């Protein structure tokens, strides 16, 4: 019998998307083919401590993420900053033979999707699903990714970027500069965040100061962007060197914009349309081509969901952002778009693991010195 591939599914994490990650991991754990994979679950609590979780405990509690307490277990560890130990992070067995064949970091946002965890896995020489250090970090930083997209000739919304120390020095003139340049409404957002945390729509000078200050609570760097009255279109990309794109989907928020409340607190906060309707074949082609181009320009690997704005008035298309570990619950846009493109959830996981192994094998061949 062929040896099973030993997969570590990492979930939770030190980010605002901790709970979503648990639900994503629940769907992934259920769908991974157990004849093919020996699956281990490792939860990371909100303080960053790692703990192994039995499949029984995980299945009993993880469909309601608040029911899964990751901090209480006796085998909880801080992540070890010692490469050879990380490869043995399987806490159930003490044997060094228990090295994982591949890690699936089902972690969204900070310390999971931003290159930091990827760096730890690189040091420990374990293959992992998704983008590497650079692609993850660039994908997370909306300022750097916008600059690279712009260089690649991909349209982005007119944007300005400010640092906290700059704003503190002279807030009034900065607020005036933003209004003169972008007009109202504009959007303010932390450069490194997700789930719409810290994102606000600014409609007048009277509310500008507070909303900009609020965004600085989450990052020392923020973006301000011209507000576009736009349809929100999304595409799933899969692959390493020859990425392919899914069909195009649409998010239709029922709130003023696709806010944190619309995403997570209101069950009817948004509708998913798969495929997106009322798009010309030319527009669909343009969107999928730009998605692949962006995936490559931002050094992504494995997977990414690429999000666009289509201006309702001008029909202008802008790339909004790229998510290198998008929501992965069985009702999330990323896997749903693949399902509608003919690749089911379980096959999608197989491909992601193959891509992780392929990338690692190729990079392992490289020389590190003369
Ligand atoms: N420039 C903009 N114009 C119009 N709506 C925007 C703009 N920027 C953000 N939004 C709204 O805010 C939501 C969240 O912003 P986004 O940049 O995607 O951040 P996040 O990474 O948190 O998802 C978008 O899905 C959209 O509804
Ligand atoms: Mg977004």
């Amino acid at each position: 019998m062929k040896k099973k591939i030993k997969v570590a599914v990492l979930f939770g994490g030190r980010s605002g998307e901790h709970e979503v990650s648990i639900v994503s991991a629940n769907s992934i754990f259920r769908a991974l083919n157990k004849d093919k994979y020996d699956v281990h679950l490792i939860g990371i609590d909100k303080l960053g401590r790692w703990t192994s979780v039995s499949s029984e405990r995980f299945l009993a509690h993880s469909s309601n993420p608040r029911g899964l307490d990751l901090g209480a277990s006796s085998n909880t560890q801080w992540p070890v900053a010692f490469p050879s130990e990380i490869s043995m992070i399987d806490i159930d067995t003490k044997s060094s033979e228990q090295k994982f064949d591949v890690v699936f970091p089902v972690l969204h946002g900070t310390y999971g999707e931003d290159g930091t965890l990827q760096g730890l896995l690189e040091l420990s020489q374990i293959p992992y699903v998704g983008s590497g250090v650079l692609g993850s970090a660039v994908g997370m930083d909306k300022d750097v990714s916008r600059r690279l997209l712009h260089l690649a000739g991909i349209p982005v919304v007119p944007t300005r970027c400010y640092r906290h120390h700059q704003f503190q020095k002279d807030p009034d003139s900065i607020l005036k500069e933003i209004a003169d340049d972008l007009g109202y409404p504009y959007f303010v957002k932390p450069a490194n965040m997700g789930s719409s945390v810290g994102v606000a729509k600014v409609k007048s000078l009277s509310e500008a100061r507070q909303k900009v200050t609020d965004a600085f609570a989450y990052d020392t760097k923020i973006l301000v962007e011209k507000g576009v009255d736009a349809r929100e279109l999304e595409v799933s990309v899969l692959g390493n060197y020859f990425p392919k794109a899914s069909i195009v989907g649409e998010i239709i928020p029922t709130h003023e914009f696709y806010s944190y409340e619309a995403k997570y607190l209101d069950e009817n906060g948004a509708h998913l349309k798969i495929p997106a309707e009322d798009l010309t074949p030319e527009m669909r082609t343009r969107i999928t081509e730009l998605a692949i181009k962006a995936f490559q320009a931002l050094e992504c690997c494995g997977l990414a969901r690429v999000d666009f704005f289509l201006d309702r008035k001008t029909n202008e298309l802008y790339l909004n952002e790229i998510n290198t570990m998008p929501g992965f619950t069985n009702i999330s846009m990323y896997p749903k778009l693949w399902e509608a493109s003919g690749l089911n959830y379980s096959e999608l996981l197989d491909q992601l693991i193959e891509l992780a192994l392929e990338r690692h094998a190729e990079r392992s061949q490289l020389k590190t010195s003369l």
Side-chain angles (χ1 to χ4, degrees):
M1 208 179 86
K2 220 174 144 200
K3 202 168 158 266
K4 288 187 189 180
I5 298 174
K6 191 164 172 178
V7 184
V9 172
L10 291 187
F11 62 91
R14 256 172 91 192
S15 101
E17 290 153 289
H18 179 97
E19 283 79 13
V20 191
S21 159
I22 295 176
V23 185
S24 293
N26 179 292
S27 298
I28 288 174
F29 180 70
R30 287 171 189 275
L32 278 168
N33 179 351
K34 308 296 183 299
D35 293 331
K36 216 168 152 181
Y37 306 110
D38 174 15
V39 187
H40 291 245
L41 293 154
I42 298 176
I44 303 176
D45 74 7
K46 287 186 172 175
L47 295 176
R49 295 172 299 186
W50 297 34
T51 185
S52 73
V53 178
S54 70
S55 49
E56 293 75 30
R57 185 155 89 95
F58 183 74
L59 286 174
H61 300 290
S62 57
S63 52
N64 171 14
R66 283 178 182 82
L68 186 68
D69 180 6
L70 291 174
S73 157
S74 58
N75 63 5
T76 297
Q77 298 188 349
W78 292 96
V80 270
F82 203 73
S84 60
E85 297 224 358
I86 297 159
S87 40
M88 293 184 279
I89 209 126
D90 182 351
I91 309 159
D92 291 330
T93 51
K94 306 272 181 297
S95 159
S96 61
E97 288 160 26
Q98 294 297 323
K99 191 169 160 141
F100 295 119
D101 296 310
V102 60
V103 170
F104 198 140
V106 190
L107 298 163
H108 312 302
T110 43
Y111 306 110
E113 191 181 347
D114 61 359
T116 51
L117 176 85
Q118 287 71 16
L120 193 73
L121 296 170
E122 286 290 338
L123 284 174
S124 57
Q125 301 178 36
I126 305 178
Y128 55 92
V129 170
S131 288
V133 175
L134 182 62
S136 301
V138 162
M140 190 75 200
D141 189 308
K142 291 182 165 73
D143 163 44
V144 175
S145 56
R146 271 203 185 17
R147 285 191 259 155
L148 288 176
L149 292 169
H150 181 69
L151 266 180
I154 298 168
V156 290
V157 176
T159 304
R160 277 176 165 268
C161 176
Y162 292 98
R163 309 264 172 181
H164 195 208
H165 63 91
Q166 208 182 348
F167 182 70
Q168 274 176 317
K169 225 165 143 189
D170 192 0
D172 292 330
S173 60
I174 284 179
L175 293 175
K176 183 174 182 308
E177 187 178 271
I178 299 171
D180 290 349
D181 193 23
L182 304 176
Y184 296 105
Y186 62 81
F187 276 78
V188 54
K189 50 182 93 166
N192 290 273
M193 252 296 155
S195 292
S196 300
V197 173
V199 178
K201 186 173 182 176
V202 179
K203 295 180 201 158
S204 67
L205 183 62
S206 62
E207 59 180 22
R209 196 179 182 121
Q210 188 60 52
K211 289 186 170 171
V212 170
T213 305
D214 289 347
F216 274 125
Y218 299 99
D219 201 343
T220 54
K221 186 166 76 167
I222 61 154
L223 263 62
V224 288
E225 285 180 10
K226 191 174 174 56
V228 272
D229 176 16
R231 293 176 63 186
E232 303 200 37
L233 304 168
E234 303 190 346
V235 184
S236 298
V237 179
L238 175 69
N240 285 344
Y241 311 108
F242 305 101
K244 45 188 186 171
S246 70
I247 59 165
V248 182
E250 180 167 8
I251 294 277
I252 306 175
T254 55
H255 294 222
E256 194 175 4
F257 69 95
Y258 199 24
S259 60
Y260 182 87
E261 289 71 27
K263 284 179 184 176
Y264 303 119
L265 303 182
D266 177 359
E267 247 174 59
N268 302 309
H271 306 297
L272 269 59
K273 268 251 173 293
I274 299 175
E277 291 166 2
D278 299 326
L279 289 177
T280 61
E282 294 75 28
M283 184 56 86
R284 287 183 203 278
T285 307
R286 182 163 150 73
I287 292 171
T288 49
E289 283 176 357
L290 282 179
I292 290 173
K293 196 171 170 186
F295 186 89
Q296 292 173 321
L298 301 186
E299 299 280 346
C300 295
C301 268
L303 76 162
R305 198 192 69 224
V306 189
D307 299 349
F308 293 89
F309 290 146
L310 179 62
D311 193 313
R312 289 176 207 279
K313 289 185 203 103
T314 62
N315 216 32
E316 202 80 49
L317 182 71
Y318 302 100
L319 199 150
N320 174 36
E321 63 160 340
I322 196 157
N323 291 282
T324 53
M325 190 51 73
F328 221 113
T329 73
N330 53 8
I331 55 160
S332 295
M333 190 60 117
Y334 185 86
K336 279 275 174 202
L337 284 174
W338 279 122
E339 213 169 273
S341 307
L343 184 65
N344 77 35
Y345 195 97
S346 195
E347 291 162 348
L348 172 61
L349 298 178
D350 289 341
Q351 289 209 16
L352 287 170
I353 289 172
E354 266 169 47
L355 288 165
L357 296 171
E358 174 196 286
R359 176 172 182 271
H360 182 79
E362 199 194 33
R363 285 164 54 86
S364 306
Q365 300 296 313
L366 299 174
K367 289 183 182 177
T368 50
S369 64
L370 255 186

